[in-house]
Amino acid sequence: MDFWPEFLATSWGKEFVAGGFGGIAGIVSGYPLDTLRIRQQRSISGSAFKIFRDIIANHGPAGLYRGMAAPLASVTFQNAAVFQIYAVLSRAFNFSQSNGDPPSYKAVAFGGFVTGALQSFILSPVELVKIRLQLQSSSNQGPVSVAKRICKTEGLRGIYRGLTITMLRDAPAHGIYFWTYEFMREQFHPGCRKTGQESVSTMLFAGGLAGVGSWVVCYPLDVLKTRIQGETQSSSGKYNGIVDCLGKSVREEGYRVLWRGLGTAVARAFVVNGSVFAAYEITLRCLFSNQAL
C-alpha cells in the first residue's frame, strides 16, 4: 500500500507515470491511422482511402481499432519504461554539463539510441500480436488467443519474430526522436529546456516533428518489419530474413514499396507524438506541482 506514494515522491516515479499517460494518449489518438499504415504496407494497391473504405464497409468504425487492447495495455507500461530509461540514460551520459543544466544534445541522442535498443525486447512481441490482429480478415480472435496460438505453433522464437529488425529500426529512431524534440522545443521557446515553461502548442508541435523525423528515417525498415512479422505459420518461408525480405519486396514491387504508406505514417506520427509529449510534460508538471504543495 505504501509503494505508490513513496515511488511517486521520487523523480523516477514521476517520469514513469508521466510516460504511461503519454503512451495512453498516443495509442488512442493514432491507432486508426496505424491500422491503415499496417494494411498499406502489406497491400498491393497501397491506397489509404480504398483500405479505409473497405474497413468501414466490412467491419464498421470499430475495425479501425482492432487489436488496440494489446498495445493499450502494454504500450502504457512500455512508454512509461521508455521515458524513464531515457531520463536516466540522458543524465548518465551528460558528462560535460553541470547538475542544474539540461542534458546536452549529444547525451539526449545517445540516451535515446540505447533506450530504443532496450525497449525493442518489450515492443517486438507486442507489435507482432498487433500486426497479426490488424491483418486478420475476421474479428473473432483477441490478442491473448493470437499470442497463445503463436506460442503454440511457432514457439518462443515465433513470439520474438522480427526482434532484430525492430532493434535496427528503434535504436536510431529513438536517438533522432528525443534529439529532435529537445532541439525543436528550444527553437520554439528559447530557454524552455531549463525552465520547463513552454506552452502546450510548443509541446504538440515539437513532439509531432520529433515523431515525423524518426519515422522518415526508419520507415523502410518498418515496412520490412511488418512483412516479416505479418507472416503466419502457413505463409512462413516466403521471407528468409531481413535481406531476403528486402530483395524479394523490391524485385516484386520496386523500390517504392519501401515507402508505401509513408504519408499515413507521417500523419499518424505527428498526431501521436504531439499527444505523447504533451501528455507527458503536463502530467510531469502536475506531479511536481503537487509535491511542491
Side-chain angles (χ1 to χ4, degrees):
M1 293 294 293
D2 295 333
F3 172 76
W4 280 109
E6 293 179 3
F7 185 59
L8 280 173
T10 66
S11 174
W12 284 35
K14 292 178 176 64
E15 289 158 352
F16 185 87
V17 172
F21 276 102
I24 293 171
I27 285 291
V28 173
S29 63
Y31 199 81
L33 286 171
D34 187 59
T35 297
L36 294 179
R37 173 183 65 86
I38 292 297
R39 288 184 174 251
Q40 276 186 282
Q41 290 176 343
R42 287 272 294 180
S43 73
I44 300 299
S45 67
S47 169
F49 180 74
K50 181 179 182 299
I51 292 170
F52 173 80
R53 187 178 58 191
D54 289 345
I55 292 174
I56 296 298
N58 295 324
H59 307 289
L64 295 169
Y65 289 90
R66 178 178 296 165
M68 191 176 74
L72 187 60
S74 58
V75 169
T76 302
F77 173 79
Q78 175 244 330
N79 210 70
V82 162
F83 274 84
Q84 179 59 78
I85 293 168
Y86 161 72
V88 172
L89 291 178
S90 62
R91 291 193 288 261
F93 294 136
N94 193 40
F95 303 115
S96 60
Q97 303 291 104
S98 64
N99 289 332
D101 292 331
S104 67
Y105 290 126
K106 184 185 293 185
V108 164
F110 196 44
F113 184 93
V114 178
T115 299
L118 292 175
Q119 69 102 39
S120 300
F121 289 95
I122 301 173
L123 188 61
S124 183
V126 173
E127 289 209 339
L128 175 70
V129 173
K130 177 178 72 70
I131 288 170
R132 297 284 178 90
L133 283 165
Q134 288 173 318
L135 293 176
Q136 70 180 4
S137 56
S138 62
S139 57
N140 58 349
Q141 287 190 314
V144 175
S145 61
V146 169
K148 285 182 178 179
R149 189 178 74 244
I150 294 171
C151 289
K152 182 178 180 180
T153 60
E154 303 174 48
L156 182 63
R157 185 176 180 180
I159 204 69
Y160 272 97
R161 182 180 183 85
L163 173 63
T164 301
I165 197 165
T166 301
M167 193 175 293
L168 289 173
R169 180 196 69 171
D170 284 359
H174 276 69
I176 293 168
Y177 181 64
F178 285 108
W179 182 91
T180 303
Y181 176 71
E182 294 294 337
F183 179 78
M184 293 309 303
R185 71 190 286 223
E186 189 70 16
Q187 301 307 304
F188 290 141
H189 196 133
C192 71
R193 293 189 69 225
K194 192 168 185 176
T195 65
Q197 297 300 315
E198 74 269 37
S199 64
V200 174
S201 62
T202 293
M203 301 173 195
L204 289 169
F205 277 98
L209 291 174
V212 170
S214 63
W215 269 103
V216 169
V217 168
C218 76
Y219 195 77
L221 287 172
D222 187 66
V223 173
L224 298 179
K225 186 184 81 69
T226 296
R227 292 184 166 224
I228 290 171
Q229 290 189 316
E231 283 194 316
T232 62
Q233 183 76 357
S234 59
S235 66
S236 61
K238 181 178 181 180
Y239 302 127
N240 186 23
I242 300 170
V243 176
D244 183 60
C245 180
L246 172 63
K248 287 179 178 177
S249 297
V250 170
R251 188 163 56 249
E252 293 170 5
E253 301 173 58
Y255 283 100
R256 291 181 61 183
V257 69
L258 299 176
W259 302 100
R260 181 175 295 159
L262 178 62
T264 304
V266 165
R268 172 189 172 274
F270 191 88
V271 172
V272 167
N273 292 287
S275 302
V276 167
F277 274 107
Y280 172 78
E281 298 284 3
I282 292 170
T283 304
L284 210 55
R285 287 183 187 184
C286 292
L287 292 174
F288 275 106
S289 295
N290 289 338
Q291 183 185 36
L293 295 172

